[in-house]
Amino acid sequence: MNKDIKKKWNTEYAKKIAKIEGIKMNKNHWKIINFTRNFYIQFKIIPSIRILLTAINQNWKHKIDSLTLINLFSTNPILKISKISGIPYPKKCI
């Protein structure tokens, strides 16, 4: 894993990218962004939507689905989540 992932990313960076993507961040957005970053740092893989949802639903009391991600991040949520969280983009985004 590239150790720079922890150094270069910060919340100001995330806010700028979110604004460019037309996303007004709230606590639900931040929970998903932080979860995704931690997932990537821990497992060294870029999660697909299916993997991300499975991991979230195994760890959170409140369950979410793909429609929730679409409502929060608009079209192509995993790409936007990757951009905002400062992790590499998945090779295949649906």
Side-chain angles (χ1 to χ4, degrees):
M1 180 187 70
N2 185 349
K3 293 181 181 181
D4 290 338
I5 188 112
K6 290 183 183 179
K7 294 178 185 175
K8 293 182 180 180
W9 186 88
N10 61 46
T11 56
E12 291 306 312
Y13 168 87
K15 288 177 187 176
K16 287 178 187 176
I17 299 301
K19 185 175 181 179
I20 290 168
E21 293 295 329
I23 298 168
K24 186 176 178 182
M25 299 289 283
N26 64 35
K27 68 178 182 174
N28 294 322
H29 291 93
W30 286 114
K31 282 177 67 175
I32 292 169
I33 294 302
N34 289 319
F35 186 90
T36 304
R37 280 188 57 74
N38 291 332
F39 183 94
Y40 178 76
I41 291 167
Q42 180 178 357
F43 298 108
K44 299 165 186 60
I45 63 168
I46 304 157
S48 66
I49 287 179
R50 179 176 286 153
I51 291 170
L52 182 61
L53 287 172
T54 299
I56 286 172
N57 289 329
Q58 287 176 349
N59 289 283
W60 290 1
K61 191 176 197 177
H62 178 71
K63 307 299 181 199
I64 66 169
D65 57 21
S66 57
L67 187 56
T68 302
L69 292 180
I70 291 168
N71 287 333
L72 288 169
F73 293 97
S74 190
T75 57
N76 206 341
I78 199 68
L79 179 62
K80 291 183 181 184
I81 292 167
S82 296
K83 285 181 181 181
I84 296 167
S85 63
I87 67 171
Y89 305 152
K91 293 186 186 221
K92 294 182 181 180
C93 291
I94 58 170

